[in-house]
Amino acid sequence: MNFDMVVLGGGSAGYAAALRAAQLGMTVALIEGDKLGGTCLHRGCIPTKALLHSAEVADTIRESEAFGVASAFGSIEMAKVHAFKDAVVGRLYRGLQGLVAARKIELADGWGRLVAPDCVEVNGTRYQGRNIVLASGSYPRSLPGLDIGGRIITSEQALELDHVPSSAIVLGGGVIGVEFASVWKSFGAEVTVVEALPRLVAGEDEALTKGLERAFRKRGIAVRTNTMVADASQGDDGVVVTTKDGQRLEADVLLVAVGRGPATANLGYAESGIPLYRGFVKVDERLRTGVGHVYAIGDIVAGYQLAHRGFQHGIFVAEEIAGLNPAPIIDSGIPRVTYCEPQIASVGLTEIQAIERYGSGGVQTAEYNLAGNAKSQMLGTAGQIKLVRETDGPIVGVHMLGARVGELIGEGQMMVNWEAHPDDVATLVHAHPTQNDAIGEAALALAGKPLHAHG
């Protein structure tokens, strides 16, 4: 069983590496112990966003009279919600299986283990590879002493709940936490988000996170920042959470959403000499581990744990092995979207990060309020577009808050990665009325010639 490339893990990163390598003429073995597509397709991105779409439909029905449409909201039927979610996942899963088969990739069904720098063993069979790609993904973290089970759940159990909880405590105000808080509120639950840091989704620009917190409070989602959990217990009737400042919170379920850890334990990495730091595989800018021809990609590499980052890692490694010398992937140039309501979408440096890099006098910003955007008014959303530039230089950060702004981040990615100046963007014609034309307005403001905004 000798191959040009052996990939350990069939998630977004692993299958992208396998598909691109096969496309480039390599023989490839792809090893996956669960389902092809990994966490993103089956327990993460796709099913979560399907739930969020159902939540958006529910909110639209509730608010329909504001748009002149008489309708009555009935109830959330979780069996049908799951049927919709599973149908989306199923179609994508079958399509992916077909792609892998068509590229003649050897798909090994089983949990693999690295037994040498050029060999992965699966169910007693050894797959020898001239190149090994580690893509074993991540798992939901918990906190010490907080056992998952019963009414204390992670995102994986939350995706399979057969009912809408009457109330929920969400421990963690990061991306996963605020997305589930948003879903459950739209489905009719009372939701409290508990976050140890001073603000929600703390990695995003402060202006956006403050706006998100205001929007959550307006929706009736309770937000408790700067709050740490001391203890959690459960009984037949619900869960009780005690915080370190003495608050007692009660709910039907407790969602533990404190991030994801790299799935690198007990896979033979350390025994094969693969360098690890806090569970993450250490790599150079070309994703090499420094051990033989072993590469690591996706969530096991420290940085943004995003499916599209892993996907691009996979393509990069395949092209690197093929000698195509692809450009290194820079994390700050990768777009990020948080799909709660309202959405957050961003790419590049926050204002604080830009000041750290260029100095307080080396940064200029402009914010355009979506109150001045016609399409946003039709959608009934509040929010803003914020651009960050190096003084007299290119745009280095794009940050957006509002309904559906995740669909706008493509232009933001182009602006940041191609080092566009505000004048460059301001001269482009943005279709009107769209939310996209808010980007043009923000660029006009940053270029010093605001029209639908005060200077």
Side-chain angles (χ1 to χ4, degrees):
M1 302 290 283
N2 293 297
F3 299 88
D4 295 319
M5 177 191 287
V6 174
V7 185
L8 180 53
S12 299
Y15 81 69
L19 288 173
R20 183 63 177 130
Q23 192 177 57
L24 292 168
M26 298 183 215
T27 56
V28 183
L30 179 60
I31 296 158
E32 175 55 58
D34 191 4
K35 288 183 177 181
L36 186 64
T39 294
C40 174
L41 180 54
H42 300 286
R43 297 181 301 281
C45 324
I46 305 305
T48 306
K49 277 54 184 181
L51 292 186
L52 282 155
H53 183 68
S54 294
E56 182 183 3
V57 172
D59 287 336
T60 300
I61 295 171
R62 285 194 188 94
E63 299 161 4
S64 65
E65 290 200 12
F67 306 101
V69 179
S71 64
F73 178 80
S75 63
I76 300 295
E77 299 181 31
M78 284 307 298
K80 292 182 178 179
V81 170
H82 286 311
F84 162 66
K85 165 179 68 71
D86 294 343
V88 173
V89 171
R91 285 192 293 271
L92 294 171
Y93 180 41
R94 289 190 295 276
L96 182 56
Q97 288 176 307
L99 285 173
V100 168
R103 298 278 171 83
K104 295 181 170 44
I105 294 167
E106 177 79 18
L107 182 59
D109 182 13
W111 298 106
R113 180 180 174 84
L114 188 68
V115 293
D118 63 349
C119 185
V120 176
E121 184 174 287
V122 187
N123 298 328
T125 300
R126 294 200 165 195
Y127 294 80
Q128 208 82 21
R130 281 182 279 279
N131 299 277
I132 302 290
V133 180
L134 308 178
S136 45
S138 59
Y139 66 92
R141 290 187 187 272
S142 185
L143 295 177
L146 194 57
D147 296 327
I148 303 301
R151 295 176 180 272
I152 301 177
I153 61 177
T154 69
S155 58
E156 294 187 358
Q157 291 82 44
L159 282 170
E160 301 302 326
L161 280 182
D162 60 3
H163 66 285
V164 178
S166 59
S167 57
I169 298 168
V170 177
L171 176 55
V175 173
I176 296 171
V178 298
E179 287 185 350
F180 272 99
S182 188
V183 166
W184 281 336
K185 183 61 183 177
S186 297
F187 282 179
E190 292 300 315
V191 181
T192 299
V193 181
V194 179
E195 170 57 53
L197 295 174
R199 51 197 180 92
L200 301 177
V201 202
E204 297 293 347
D205 192 271
E206 188 170 354
L208 270 59
T209 61
K210 287 181 177 178
L212 178 64
E213 187 170 333
R214 286 193 298 270
F216 266 25
R217 293 188 190 279
K218 187 175 181 180
R219 291 184 61 193
I221 298 173
V223 177
R224 298 174 185 264
T225 52
N226 290 306
T227 303
M228 299 184 69
V229 168
D231 182 58
S233 60
Q234 61 178 306
D236 294 337
D237 298 326
V239 294
V240 176
V241 172
T242 305
T243 65
K244 289 189 177 180
D245 58 1
Q247 300 176 62
R248 176 185 168 91
L249 308 174
E250 299 182 16
D252 189 24
V253 297
L254 169 63
L255 171 65
V256 181
V258 292
R260 298 182 65 85
T264 56
N266 304 315
L267 294 176
Y269 293 179
E271 293 85 342
S272 296
I274 304 301
L276 300 170
Y277 178 71
R278 295 184 176 178
F280 291 98
V281 178
K282 296 172 67 175
V283 295
D284 62 14
E285 68 169 9
R286 308 206 71 78
L287 301 176
R288 299 172 297 204
T289 65
V291 177
H293 295 279
V294 181
Y295 299 79
I297 58 178
D299 284 1
I300 61 173
V301 176
Y304 296 135
Q305 291 180 315
L306 299 168
H308 46 283
R309 173 182 180 255
F311 187 85
Q312 199 63 33
H313 275 184
I315 295 172
F316 173 91
V317 161
E319 295 182 350
E320 175 76 0
I321 290 169
L324 300 183
N325 194 32
I329 298 166
I330 308 301
D331 271 10
S332 63
I334 298 173
R336 311 175 294 275
V337 183
T338 303
Y339 294 87
C340 53
E341 176 54 42
Q343 292 182 359
I344 287 177
S346 62
V347 62
L349 304 179
T350 66
E351 181 177 356
I352 291 174
Q353 290 170 338
I355 289 171
E356 290 172 350
R357 179 173 297 185
Y358 303 113
S360 57
V363 174
Q364 295 172 312
T365 67
E367 296 184 21
Y368 179 73
N369 195 308
L370 293 184
N373 178 260
K375 184 64 174 180
S376 296
Q377 287 301 296
M378 296 174 201
L379 293 173
T381 188
Q384 62 191 22
I385 309 289
K386 179 176 179 177
L387 302 183
V388 180
R389 76 179 297 190
E390 181 184 359
T391 299
D392 299 325
I395 296 168
V396 296
V398 178
H399 309 279
M400 300 183 279
L401 173 71
R404 304 183 185 178
V405 295
E407 303 300 329
L408 308 181
I409 198 58
E411 183 175 354
Q413 180 186 22
M414 296 294 188
M415 290 156 59
V416 169
N417 286 295
W418 287 353
E419 299 181 344
H421 285 238
D423 285 319
D424 298 328
V425 182
T427 57
L428 299 176
V429 180
H430 291 78
H432 177 80
T434 63
Q435 284 189 292
N436 183 246
D437 68 16
I439 294 178
E441 293 283 355
L444 282 166
L446 195 54
K449 45 186 178 182
L451 293 185
H452 291 99
H454 296 288

